[in-house]
Amino acid sequence: MKTIQHWIDGTAVPGTDTAPVFDPATGRQQAQVVLGGSADVDTAVTAAARAFETWSESSLTQRTQVMFAFRQLLVEHEEELGRIISAEHGKTVDDARGEITRGREVVEFACGLGDVLKGSFSDQVSRGIDVHNFRQPLGVVAGITPFNFPAMVPLWMHPIAIATGNTFILKPSERDPSAANFVAELYQKAGLPDGVFNVVHGGKDAVDAILTHPGIEAVSFVGSTPIAKYVHEQATSHGKRVQALGGAKNHAVVLPDADLEFTANHITAGAYGSAGERCMAVSVAVAVGAAADGLVEVLERKAREVKVGPGDAPGVEMGPLVTKVAQERVENAVGTAATQGATVVVDGRGLKIDGHEDGFFTGPSLLDHVTVEMDAYKEELFGPVLAIVRVDTLDEAIAVINANPYGNGTALFTASGEAARRFQRNVKVGMIGVNVPVPVPMSYYSFGGWKDSLIGDSPIHGPEGIRFYTRPKVVTTRWPQPAQQVAAGFNFPTSS
């Protein structure tokens, strides 16, 4: 049985307690991962703090050269890393390669920090006095990341943290932990000094140790809203900066003037891609007026055409869910929706794949006539379930979205520029797509929603990532001539 160990100070570190790691396509255990606690976190913090002493003093050129090398290694090992992700998460290899590509874009952003980190200089703000500013790293920082993107979400964090001079401790999901160790080895090959990037595996004990450790300056988190609130409360109460990104219920609004074939293609991919296990998945389609019947007809056809199977099989578009518990939760939600009055247009429950009968598979499900009072609308199902809500007008659709407690992503499908402008100005959501179903911004913008999708006020990567992992200094200087006498005043200083 393969054992996945911690990675601390440049080497694999064993542990005592373990948890199983399953192959979602077969339902069988394929490995075990060590579960760390406070002692392991403390060991990692000690190593990271020691590494920070020299890494924080390294040149910006040295740090970006490591990032360039790391980026190239991600390109060269994309297939291998993609298959590691697919084997533990269940998503298709193509989907896994896609998440690596999007994560690599953050590395590319980190490669260009020389321009982003330039400070400013003001000459002669007062007679003989200049002012300039610059940013410095925090110290040891940590990331706690979810199972659904075991490469991409950590890559939203550690490249920027490391390139700005911090050292990093990653606590990945124990469901698919191998990607984190693989990335650690790539960093070592890229020339990153030992102790700058560390991996501590584990569950709640490891999380709590990170949130309370006095040697950790900041914590980044992506996961469900209840845990995001817990992370934010615990970490801030222990004096840490916190990025805490929570859950979502993303709506795609479809107007009668939309091209239904184009729209259904993109909503189907947005709803069922990665088996719906992503915080930017389209989980609700809001059909406006006359668009509804035609949209449901095309979506039904598209949902039935989705090819489901093992993630490494050619032609497969959707793999299994990550665990048996996830499979049961999603299928129970479809049954509950039917009981509450929804029309089950496509029923993905009970799907069996030949040769993989014990895998955690469920097919795409499409629910029509869903209301905002139903559980299928209110809950974040995190699975391949698309709910159709029918409204009469665009303004009614906007009101539905704004009344929802989440505000991560949303999309509008239309041919009307006026409608698009009205939608993007009035909807209370952080990331908006117009004829784009999954509006994840590029790495040089920041990712983050509104309302219960972002706890606190710190989005991730892009300019907000730079701000989060650094603190500013402002320096006021005077260099008087030796013979010059400058009177010192006892009043509060002013410029003149």
Side-chain angles (χ1 to χ4, degrees), residues 84-85 134 366:
I84 288 171
I85 294 168
F134 61 98
L366 179 63

Side-chain angles (χ1 to χ4, degrees), residues 88-341:
E88 291 184 351
H89 174 278
K91 66 176 65 178
T92 68
V93 175
D94 284 345
D95 192 17
R97 286 196 294 257
E99 76 159 276
I100 296 166
T101 298
R102 293 308 303 267
R104 192 173 67 234
E105 291 169 359
V106 181
V107 181
E108 292 163 357
F109 176 70
C111 289
L113 287 191
D115 183 67
V116 180
L117 285 177
K118 287 189 301 186
S120 59
F121 183 91
S122 296
D123 174 71
Q124 197 75 353
V125 298
S126 188
R127 283 176 292 183
I129 294 179
D130 308 322
V131 177
H132 71 277
N133 72 330
F134 61 98
R135 304 190 72 89
Q136 289 185 310
L138 304 178
V140 180
V141 299
I144 302 167
T145 56
F147 75 87
N148 56 330
F149 289 100
M152 184 183 74
V153 170
L155 283 165
W156 286 356
M157 303 172 184
H158 53 73
I160 296 176
I162 291 170
T164 51
N166 300 278
T167 54
F168 197 90
I169 298 170
L170 173 63
K171 206 301 287 183
S173 171
E174 61 275 27
R175 298 177 190 173
D176 45 9
S178 292
N181 287 40
F182 190 85
V183 166
E185 293 175 5
L186 293 187
Y187 263 132
Q188 191 175 64
K189 292 177 182 177
L192 189 70
D194 293 344
V196 176
F197 181 78
N198 307 275
V199 180
V200 176
H201 298 288
K204 189 175 184 300
D205 288 346
V207 169
D208 287 340
I210 288 170
L211 300 181
T212 59
H213 198 290
I216 296 176
E217 300 291 335
V219 176
S220 301
F221 172 84
V222 176
S224 69
T225 292
I227 306 303
K229 290 180 177 179
Y230 174 81
V231 166
H232 189 271
E233 178 183 353
Q234 291 296 312
T236 54
S237 69
H238 286 82
K240 306 183 192 312
R241 290 187 179 186
V242 183
Q243 288 173 324
L245 281 67
K249 197 71 179 178
N250 304 313
H251 302 69
V253 177
V254 182
L255 297 187
D257 65 356
D259 181 319
L260 290 187
E261 193 73 18
F262 171 90
T263 298
N265 272 336
H266 286 273
I267 290 179
T268 298
Y272 304 130
S274 199
E277 293 175 316
R278 50 190 182 191
C279 67
M280 290 293 284
V282 177
S283 54
V284 180
V286 184
V288 178
D293 289 343
L295 177 66
V296 172
E297 179 182 344
V298 184
L299 284 174
E300 177 182 2
R301 171 164 51 86
K302 300 291 183 184
R304 296 188 187 281
E305 292 173 352
V306 174
K307 299 183 178 70
V308 183
D312 60 351
V316 166
E317 297 169 310
M318 192 182 95
L321 293 172
V322 69
T323 63
K324 185 70 174 177
V325 171
Q327 178 196 30
E328 292 172 347
R329 184 191 68 247
V330 168
E331 296 197 347
N332 288 340
V334 174
T336 299
T339 300
Q340 293 178 344

